[in-house]
Amino acid sequence: MTTNTSLTSTAQVSDETKANVEKEKKKNPSIPVEIRFHSLVTLDFSHNHFEEMNEAFIAFQKVVTLNMSHNRLHTVDGCVGKLSRLKDFDLQHNKLSTMPKEFALCKSLQTLRMNDNAITGVPESVQNLTQLRLLHLQNNSLLSQSMKPTFFSLHGKLTELHLQHNRMVGLPSSFYNLSKLIDCNVSHNNISVIADDVQNMVSLVRLDLSHNQITTTLPEEISALQALVHLDLAHNLVTALPPSLSRMRALYHVHLEHNCFTSFSEVMRSMTHINGWNLHNNQVHGEYAKYMESLEQEHREGGDGDDTSVVTSNTNSVIKGGSIGKVSFWGKYFIQSVVTFSA
């Protein structure tokens, strides 16, 4: 009888142990701590059930590319600082609420994706990631005060920065010193002012400022961005464009939909190199019709000209024309529509 009871008890303990093991596996898939992967440089653990990165990850000290995206991570403390050779780190789509201070030890890190988490603050130590080329922090809950004015002061090599869909009301002063930044997206925040120092961001090709609270206009100094091709100001409170914008000869696409423009201004008319204007859902009135009539008159007097484009102010997309002749055709259509649109 005693033996049977003992066996039953042992069986119960064994079952409990198995259950605990299975539970732990689900929490953090087993990685033997004693193993060292001396040749491993790329590791993809994305789309699994990791809840934390513990000391077991020290086994991957020579890893250069690590993908931990689409897991259930709530912390990566305790091991990141040991991955000194890491260059590409993907942590997007997890449950992280902060960026670990240990990132400062990842001196080789060049790309860091932490978008689609629950991050509210950025530790000052992240400033020390001086080799960063790409930083994705979009779709979090970042606040302006979580970034000190000097936050970007050591990020001189950064070429791509995504901060869209956060809760920022302003940008740190050091942001405007990112002279090598090419692609910048700060849309879907609550930013109201772009500083004159934007002139320092001379490498920008794409700048997305849409869905913010920018009022009146942009600073005249923006004309220093001679490499800028794409400018998105949609869904703001902008009423005018700075005259200096006409000197930006590389600028090709401009989105101004859902703002407070009342006319197709002289600045816009002077920017004949623009491939497409998007002005729908503004307050443009009959003055625009006169402009389209003048284009028709130029066509009659001068014949076909260079390729140009058509402005739209009542549709959801830019309609591109191929020649002055096409502009005349579309002009007749939009003259009527814009007059109807005016208050």
Side-chain angles (χ1 to χ4, degrees):
M1 180 67 73
T2 303
T3 302
N4 290 339
T5 302
S6 177
L7 289 173
T8 302
S9 177
T10 302
Q12 288 176 345
V13 170
S14 178
D15 289 342
E16 288 177 6
T17 302
K18 289 180 180 178
N20 290 333
V21 168
E22 290 301 316
K23 185 177 180 180
E24 187 61 29
K25 281 183 178 180
K26 289 181 179 180
K27 180 181 178 182
N28 201 11
S30 180
I31 302 172
V33 177
E34 67 277 5
I35 295 178
R36 292 293 181 269
F37 297 89
H38 298 293
S39 301
L40 194 66
V41 293
T42 301
L43 182 61
D44 189 340
F45 275 137
S46 63
H47 296 273
N48 276 289
H49 295 164
F50 284 92
E51 293 185 9
E52 62 181 19
M53 285 178 62
N54 56 29
E55 67 281 356
F57 277 81
I58 297 174
F60 309 121
Q61 287 186 20
K62 293 189 177 181
V63 163
V64 174
T65 299
L66 178 58
N67 190 345
M68 295 295 297
S69 66
H70 297 271
N71 275 281
R72 302 170 184 176
L73 291 171
H74 54 79
T75 180
V76 292
D77 290 331
C79 67
V80 173
K82 303 291 185 180
L83 306 178
S84 58
R85 300 191 184 187
L86 197 59
K87 290 185 177 181
D88 306 302
F89 199 8
D90 194 339
L91 287 164
Q92 61 182 306
H93 292 275
N94 277 287
K95 298 181 179 180
L96 298 166
S97 60
T98 186
M99 299 172 69
K101 294 180 180 180
E102 289 185 0
F103 271 147
L105 301 175
C106 300
K107 301 292 187 180
S108 301
L109 202 58
Q110 294 181 7
T111 68
L112 178 58
R113 292 176 174 85
M114 294 192 72
N115 50 286
D116 295 275
N117 278 280
I119 298 170
T120 57
V122 182
E124 192 173 353
S125 58
V126 177
Q127 273 188 234
N128 298 322
L129 299 178
T130 58
Q131 300 303 310
L132 269 185
R133 267 71 166 179
L134 178 150
L135 179 59
H136 283 189
L137 289 171
Q138 68 266 32
N139 293 302
N140 280 288
S141 298
L142 278 175
L143 301 171
S144 298
Q145 55 266 38
S146 69
M147 289 186 176
K148 291 190 175 183
T150 58
F151 179 77
F152 291 109
S153 59
L154 299 178
H155 293 159
K157 296 182 179 180
L158 202 62
T159 60
E160 184 173 324
L161 177 63
H162 286 191
L163 294 171
Q164 66 267 32
H165 289 278
N166 277 288
R167 296 163 59 190
M168 304 180 69
V169 297
L171 295 163
S173 56
S174 58
F175 164 81
Y176 296 104
N177 292 325
L178 296 173
S179 61
K180 293 188 178 181
L181 197 62
I182 295 173
D183 181 4
C184 179
N185 191 334
V186 292
S187 65
H188 293 86
N189 279 283
N190 292 301
I191 299 166
S192 58
V193 175
I194 299 299
D196 297 350
D197 288 339
V198 70
Q199 65 184 323
N200 299 325
M201 307 176 78
V202 293
S203 299
L204 272 179
V205 173
R206 182 178 183 273
L207 178 58
D208 193 340
L209 300 168
S210 64
H211 294 269
N212 276 289
Q213 299 294 318
I214 299 172
T215 57
T216 61
T217 188
L218 296 173
E220 286 282 344
E221 288 77 5
I222 197 170
S223 62
L225 309 186
Q226 289 297 313
L228 195 65
V229 173
H230 182 100
L231 176 62
D232 196 338
L233 281 167
H235 292 267
N236 277 286
L237 302 169
V238 180
T239 58
L241 296 176
S244 63
L245 212 65
S246 62
R247 299 197 295 270
M248 300 173 68
R249 305 306 297 178
L251 194 58
Y252 204 56
H253 301 285
V254 182
H255 286 266
L256 300 173
E257 62 268 28
H258 291 273
N259 274 283
C260 301
F261 291 93
T262 59
S263 67
F264 192 66
S265 68
E266 198 66 40
V267 175
M268 297 178 190
R269 298 176 195 182
S270 68
M271 298 175 70
T272 56
H273 57 284
I274 295 294
N275 175 262
W277 289 100
N278 194 331
L279 279 159
H280 79 265
N281 277 286
N282 276 273
Q283 301 166 33
V284 180
H285 49 69
E287 180 188 355
Y288 170 70
K290 295 178 182 178
Y291 171 63
M292 297 308 291
E293 287 175 344
S294 71
L295 279 182
E296 289 191 88
Q297 184 64 30
E298 287 179 17
H299 172 55
R300 294 191 195 101
E301 295 176 356
D304 288 348
D306 296 333
D307 282 0
T308 186
S309 302
V310 175
V311 185
T312 74
S313 47
N314 70 332
T315 63
N316 289 323
S317 60
V318 177
I319 298 179
K320 302 172 183 176
S323 67
I324 291 294
K326 288 186 179 179
V327 170
S328 296
F329 171 78
W330 287 112
K332 291 176 183 176
Y333 175 78
F334 284 114
I335 286 170
Q336 181 180 358
S337 65
V338 171
V339 172
T340 304
F341 181 75
S342 62

